[in-house]
Amino acid sequence: MTIRKMEEADRASAQSMWIEIFEEDPAFAAYYFDNRFYPEHSFGAFEDGVVIAMALGRPTVIRAEGRDLPALLVAGVSTRPQYRGRGLMHRLMTLLIDQARQNGFVCCYLHPVSESLYRSLGFRNGTDIMKINSGSVHPNASFRIEERTEFSDMLSIYRAAMRTHDGMQLRDLYEFRTVYADYATDDAKTLIAYEQNEPIGYLIIGKSGSVYELLAQKKDAYEALLSEAARRAEKPLHVLAPIDCGIEGERLYSMQYLVFDDAFRLPLKNGYCRLAY
């Protein structure tokens, strides 16, 4: 068995393992490894040249305490079933974390499968999120809701959220288009709510009924978007939204962070993170 930093030549083996372990749509996995695979920030365990465990890192910039900070998003942490229980995840994550610190990232962060899994490595809950459902909303305000992919309008709403929510990934127009391409592998559609011709909220939903993002600047817009999306999907929808959306639901932790050298405090003030890997 060999444990080392990944190389470009490991792409096919890592992609195959991703599909197998996460039961992922091959179209999304192909997109991910074409656009989001950074072997120089990732580590793997290998047997006979085949990936048997991996931890993948992707450089991002997050907004925290009024500053834009370099951070490493961790994804794809997994081990093939027959090799579990040998401490491979812990060894790979330790290597990834040590290198991230050396490379000047202020933190590593991830969406945990359980809150306790990464605590032994120093990760702490940092942002939270509200799980809401369409059955609990009763829209009483009218907005013009259009099905359109208008990146500049969505970006203006996203940037407004970044002014009040810590932990969000920094996006410019290019990054927004790139993130949307993630969703496009599920034939995503976008609903945008307008108030007096100004964009006030958006919702991105895939053909499977998964709502990938929901952001708005007021409660009424959240309710209108969610209600309209459920009507079109012809089924109830369960959605993750910022905790200040104003709609009752179940409060969950969304992201865990390992912060280097006290770069910022946890939990993040009004922290919210909903992202495409």
Side-chain angles (χ1 to χ4, degrees):
M1 181 189 300
T2 303
I3 295 180
R4 59 169 171 80
K5 186 184 296 185
M6 283 197 164
E7 302 172 354
E8 182 61 33
D10 301 320
R11 177 197 299 261
S13 182
Q15 180 175 329
S16 176
M17 180 174 162
W18 179 294
I19 294 170
E20 176 185 336
I21 297 297
F22 300 112
E23 299 180 351
E24 189 65 79
D25 182 344
F28 174 77
Y31 170 84
Y32 179 90
F33 280 89
D34 282 346
N35 296 275
R36 302 295 201 184
F37 180 51
Y38 291 80
E40 66 272 25
H41 296 291
S42 305
F43 289 84
F46 301 81
E47 193 161 272
D48 297 328
V50 176
V51 180
I52 60 173
M54 62 184 180
L56 309 180
R58 177 166 78 87
T60 65
V61 177
I62 64 169
R63 186 77 170 167
E65 298 180 347
R67 295 173 293 151
D68 298 337
L69 302 171
L72 193 71
L73 170 63
V74 183
V77 182
S78 54
T79 304
R80 293 187 184 275
Q82 63 269 38
Y83 295 98
R84 292 172 185 167
R86 303 186 188 184
L88 292 177
M89 186 202 82
H90 195 281
R91 293 169 66 183
L92 293 174
M93 286 294 296
T94 299
L95 289 170
L96 183 149
I97 289 165
D98 288 347
Q99 178 177 279
R101 184 192 293 270
Q102 294 169 15
N103 287 345
F105 294 104
V106 303
C107 72
C108 293
Y109 68 115
L110 49 79
H111 183 77
V113 295
S114 73
E115 290 183 26
S116 62
L117 187 61
Y118 294 93
R119 283 180 185 159
S120 65
L121 291 163
F123 283 80
R124 292 176 52 201
N125 292 328
T127 61
D128 45 20
I129 206 163
M130 189 70 74
K131 183 179 181 180
I132 60 179
N133 67 79
S134 58
S136 65
V137 302
H138 306 284
N140 55 15
S142 60
F143 300 91
R144 189 176 88 253
I145 296 179
E146 297 186 8
E147 181 180 316
R148 59 187 306 198
T149 306
E150 183 58 59
F151 292 112
S152 59
D153 287 351
M154 289 187 282
L155 183 57
S156 71
I157 297 161
Y158 188 89
R159 285 177 171 166
M162 289 190 68
R163 290 193 288 270
T164 57
H165 296 87
D166 276 345
M168 296 185 74
Q169 287 182 2
L170 188 67
R171 292 180 185 172
D172 56 17
L173 197 57
Y174 171 79
E175 177 63 13
F176 212 107
R177 290 177 181 274
T178 303
V179 168
Y180 197 84
D182 294 6
Y183 306 141
T185 61
D186 188 31
D187 292 336
K189 306 293 183 185
T190 302
L191 300 179
I192 302 179
Y194 293 89
E195 184 176 53
Q196 297 180 350
N197 295 322
E198 291 296 322
I200 194 171
Y202 72 85
L203 180 149
I204 303 174
I205 185 171
K207 65 180 180 182
S208 63
S210 298
V211 176
Y212 291 112
E213 294 191 15
L214 171 59
L215 281 176
Q217 296 178 35
K218 58 174 63 175
K219 177 185 176 183
D220 289 345
Y222 277 111
E223 292 182 324
L225 285 164
L226 183 53
S227 178
E228 177 62 15
R231 185 189 69 79
R232 295 185 182 211
E234 298 182 335
K235 65 178 182 180
L237 296 177
H238 298 272
V239 182
L240 300 178
I243 59 172
D244 63 350
C245 66
I247 303 171
E248 291 187 3
E250 180 185 3
R251 188 165 177 163
L252 306 171
Y253 280 103
S254 173
M255 285 286 154
Q256 287 184 335
Y257 297 76
L258 175 59
V259 183
F260 304 141
D261 305 321
D262 300 319
F264 54 85
R265 293 178 298 275
L266 292 177
L268 288 164
K269 183 180 179 182
N270 202 23
Y272 169 72
C273 192
R274 186 79 176 104
L275 51 89
Y277 283 126

